[in-house]
Amino acid sequence: MAALLGSALKAGRFARAGVRLFCTNNAATPKITTHWSVLPRDKDSRWSDVDMERVSDEVDVCIVGAGPAGLSAAIRLKQLAQQQDKELRVLVLEKATEVGLHTLSGACLEPHALDELIPDWKDRGAPMHTPVTEDRFNLLTEKYKIPLPILPGLPMHNSGNYVVRLGNFVRWLGEQAEELEVEVYPGCPVTEVLYHEDGSVKGVATSDVGIGKDGAPKDSFERGMEFHSKVVIFAEGCHGHLAKQLYKNLDLRKNCEPQTYAIGLKELWEVDPAQHKPGKVEHTVGWPLDRMTYGGSFIYHLGEGEPLVAVGYVLGLDYSNPYISPFKEFQRWKHHPAVKPTFEGGKRIAYGARALNEGGFQSIPQLAFPGGCLIGCSPGFMNVPKIKGTHNAMKSGMICAEAIFDKLTDENLQSETQGVFVDDYEQRMKDSWVWKEIKSVRNVRPSFHSPLGLYGTLLYTGVFYYLFRGKEPWTFSHGGADYKRLKPASECTPIEYPKPDNKISFDLLSSVALSGTNHEGDQPAHLTLMNDEVPVNQNLGIYDGPEQRFCPAGVYEYVPMEDGKTMRLQINAQNCVHCKTCDIKDPSQNINWVTPEAGGGPAYNGM
């Protein structure tokens, strides 16, 4: 099936020469975006004679996304089916060519949900080899570190947790699902949500292949497949392409605040054995960021035979200065006197980035709707002060699976819509330990938006959270969407970042090369623009082109046109690591990230 739906991953093409987007002051703008999501094919004469019929298949439950949440849901559904001797066809569609290949996280895993889902996970060989043995939390100044206490009960306390490579863990989860006869199909990106005539979700459609960069069908064109399902579970991860459609079409965010986000950048290092301490977990806040910019770091020492250290930097996307470069902040941070010794004499072997949900309790949308449910990081169950969400994502998938199974196996089932509405899923979530956990920390992240900034958050966590555990009678607001917080460049000071030394710090394109990222070059750019004239006229004109700094993969560049007087935006779509940051932080909300042709994206090896 994967052969029908996708193409094989092709090796090694990074680009500075990508899709060239021209936009000038008052000049005629050539057609730029060629993707069918912006330029409908029914209005394009080149498609008039193309057969657009799709093959379809029927399943009981279709799950979009083979991450921790989606696979946990699949496993739980089949466990229940086996226990009660029921026939249930469960199918998982994953855009990466291998399960776990697009997965990136720290990660320090809390095993609560795993203990419930697969109690004998140790006997089954789960790749969790490194229990936390040492826990450190430091406030950095420019030259010094100040140790902060991690008392039992505080979110950062990691006793009982495991340092893992989440991609490997997800791959293992996929194997457990397939043992239970879950149908897992990697290399099958989903591009569309399908609806019944009554408006309920009918299923999903996978991507077409064989479309040229100009938007025209190639001789190799093949239509994607449709999967019709009684219930579709959307488990795409943070800022999912389909979830965005659902929020808009079904108004699922009408009773919650806008989601807020961070970008997380990660490297994997092989360090000097003398610097390696398996099980050591260290987090920092403070330098190089000012007190009004939210962010921090992690350093996790893996115990897998080789002296491997996972290191990363997380920066809140509610920052206001358009000159901030999350990637360069990360590189600068590694030169701190308390950090640099860990990496001296070592070798960087992998790099990647992804967005994280940070809205928490205040930003959870409606979770169930006729024909579908949202689970995991798609709606956003990350515990921000813990910097952990995998356990909550897994548990949400399990709860959703239990609610769906009970609904579909009810002999008296009567659905008012063609797509089954699993209406009690949301209440089951509210009755779970996940809801209790995210509600208890709901005020920690928005406490940052006080005049004290970072120090206000540390104070709130150390006093109010420690004393009340979230039982305080107030709930702070996040204060709006991240993209609205960016200030015009004229109100901000440019940041002079140090040049990389190619030993501890590195340039962007050599970093992207370590992600294994590749996309078929002859396809419409999946980084689409709603209006081709906006980038130069607004983003460059007002904000000095922030997309060329907040993108962690060098996708966006402003370069001079041939006349030497005006600028154009160049999109290097082949470099995209699928982090979605551009879609989130674009101050014009003009960039819409959509799924590329099958086979595209990063190739993370156990990130």
Side-chain angles (χ1 to χ4, degrees), residues 268-502:
L268 190 64
W269 281 69
E270 185 174 344
V271 300
D272 182 341
Q275 297 291 335
H276 188 230
K277 300 178 181 179
K280 182 179 180 180
V281 167
E282 184 173 3
H283 296 90
T284 75
V285 293
W287 188 89
L289 302 178
D290 61 38
R291 77 173 195 279
M292 300 308 296
T293 304
Y294 189 89
S297 74
F298 62 85
I299 303 175
Y300 299 157
H301 293 246
L302 290 148
E304 300 182 359
E306 300 294 327
L308 297 179
V309 171
V311 57
Y313 205 82
V314 177
L315 197 152
L317 290 178
D318 55 352
Y319 67 81
S320 60
N321 187 343
Y323 292 109
I324 282 179
S325 165
F327 174 81
K328 291 182 178 180
E329 295 291 352
F330 178 27
Q331 300 305 310
R332 175 162 65 169
W333 164 82
K334 287 185 291 178
H335 283 275
H336 190 278
V339 176
K340 184 178 179 180
T342 299
F343 305 103
E344 288 181 317
K347 179 182 179 182
R348 188 179 66 151
I349 59 176
Y351 167 82
R354 57 161 288 195
L356 299 79
N357 302 95
E358 289 199 335
F361 182 77
Q362 293 92 320
S363 301
I364 297 173
Q366 182 179 323
L367 298 176
F369 41 90
C373 300
L374 295 164
I375 65 172
C377 288
S378 187
F381 294 115
M382 180 175 167
N383 183 323
V384 176
K386 272 189 179 181
I387 323 178
K388 293 177 183 62
T390 301
H391 62 300
N392 287 341
M394 292 176 66
K395 182 62 175 178
S396 72
M398 295 157 62
I399 292 171
C400 183
E402 291 163 359
I404 289 173
F405 183 83
D406 290 347
K407 181 72 72 171
L408 296 185
T409 57
D410 183 355
E411 295 180 356
N412 299 315
L413 173 63
Q414 292 183 342
S415 179
E416 295 181 0
T417 55
Q418 289 177 276
V420 176
F421 183 22
V422 188
D423 52 347
D424 63 336
Y425 161 49
E426 188 158 332
Q427 187 57 51
R428 293 189 190 204
M429 281 296 299
K430 292 179 179 179
D431 294 337
S432 72
W433 52 259
V434 174
W435 206 264
K436 180 180 179 181
E437 177 179 320
I438 58 174
K439 185 176 181 181
S440 72
V441 297
R442 69 190 183 280
N443 287 325
V444 173
R445 179 63 176 90
S447 69
F448 187 84
H449 296 300
S450 75
L452 296 176
L454 168 64
Y455 305 113
T457 296
L458 294 174
L459 181 64
Y460 195 94
T461 305
V463 177
F464 287 99
Y465 176 80
Y466 190 73
L467 293 177
F468 298 112
R469 294 295 195 276
K471 295 180 181 179
E472 62 268 29
W474 58 82
T475 298
F476 296 151
S477 170
H478 291 291
D482 293 334
Y483 72 89
K484 293 182 178 180
R485 291 186 177 274
L486 209 61
K487 293 180 179 179
S490 61
E491 299 178 16
C492 300
T493 302
I495 302 173
E496 293 293 331
Y497 288 102
K499 292 182 178 180
D501 65 358
N502 295 317

Side-chain angles (χ1 to χ4, degrees), residues 1-2 5 89 91-96 183-188 227:
M1 180 176 291
L5 299 177
R89 187 181 177 198
L91 179 140
V92 180
L93 300 172
E94 165 59 34
K95 66 182 175 74
E183 299 175 47
V184 182
Y185 295 112
C188 299
F227 290 94

Side-chain angles (χ1 to χ4, degrees), residues 25-322:
N25 295 328
N26 301 318
T29 305
K31 184 169 65 174
I32 298 169
T33 298
T34 60
H35 197 275
W36 58 264
S37 63
V38 177
L39 301 172
R41 289 177 286 198
D42 59 1
K43 298 179 181 179
D44 187 338
S45 61
R46 298 173 299 176
W47 289 88
S48 59
D49 296 325
V50 177
D51 181 6
M52 299 299 284
E53 290 296 317
R54 286 188 284 220
V55 175
S56 65
D57 196 3
E58 297 280 344
V59 300
D60 292 305
V61 181
C62 179
I63 301 172
V64 181
L71 290 171
S72 295
I75 289 169
R76 189 68 187 125
L77 280 165
K78 295 298 281 189
Q79 287 175 338
L80 292 168
Q82 287 189 2
Q83 291 167 10
Q84 300 188 29
D85 196 25
K86 301 286 186 181
E87 288 290 332
L88 197 70
R89 187 181 177 198
V90 180
L91 179 140
V92 180
L93 300 172
E94 165 59 34
K95 66 182 175 74
T97 55
E98 297 177 18
V99 172
L101 209 62
H102 286 182
T103 300
L104 181 144
S105 184
C108 188
L109 179 64
E110 185 174 313
H112 191 172
L114 181 61
D115 288 337
E116 295 181 10
L117 181 65
I118 307 176
D120 60 342
W121 55 267
K122 291 183 180 180
D123 296 333
R124 289 179 170 271
M128 297 171 60
H129 310 297
T130 314
V132 174
T133 58
E134 186 179 351
D135 210 357
R136 295 288 182 265
F137 185 35
N138 297 310
L139 172 65
L140 299 185
T141 64
E142 186 173 355
K143 296 182 179 180
Y144 302 101
K145 69 176 181 180
I146 302 171
L148 300 176
I150 308 177
L151 302 175
L154 286 176
M156 298 297 289
H157 193 258
N158 281 295
S159 177
N161 297 335
Y162 290 80
V163 179
V164 303
R165 297 167 70 178
L166 195 65
N168 293 344
F169 176 74
V170 166
R171 187 180 301 116
W172 175 82
L173 276 181
E175 294 168 356
Q176 307 311 301
E178 289 182 322
E179 284 184 14
L180 292 167
E181 299 184 349
V182 174
E183 299 175 47
V184 182
Y185 295 112
C188 299
V190 177
T191 57
E192 293 180 67
V193 180
L194 307 175
Y195 298 91
H196 291 287
E197 291 184 359
D198 64 0
S200 61
V201 172
K202 179 180 182 179
V204 294
T206 61
S207 67
D208 299 338
V209 295
I211 303 175
K213 184 180 292 188
D214 62 356
K218 297 189 287 189
D219 292 340
S220 59
F221 174 75
E222 289 186 33
R223 201 78 160 105
M225 281 188 68
E226 293 187 3
F227 290 94
H228 303 164
S229 178
K230 296 171 184 175
V231 183
V232 180
I233 301 177
F234 295 90
E236 302 170 277
C238 180
H239 205 65
H241 166 56
L242 302 180
K244 290 188 300 180
Q245 299 177 31
L246 292 166
Y247 295 150
K248 180 179 180 180
N249 295 340
L250 303 179
D251 200 16
L252 301 181
R253 302 200 67 89
K254 61 183 177 183
N255 294 320
C256 69
E257 290 194 27
Q259 185 61 261
T260 64
Y261 302 89
I263 180 174
L265 305 102
K266 178 184 176 181
E267 296 174 347
L268 190 64
W269 281 69
E270 185 174 344
V271 300
D272 182 341
Q275 297 291 335
H276 188 230
K277 300 178 181 179
K280 182 179 180 180
V281 167
E282 184 173 3
H283 296 90
T284 75
V285 293
W287 188 89
L289 302 178
D290 61 38
R291 77 173 195 279
M292 300 308 296
T293 304
Y294 189 89
S297 74
F298 62 85
I299 303 175
Y300 299 157
H301 293 246
L302 290 148
E304 300 182 359
E306 300 294 327
L308 297 179
V309 171
V311 57
Y313 205 82
V314 177
L315 197 152
L317 290 178
D318 55 352
Y319 67 81
S320 60
N321 187 343

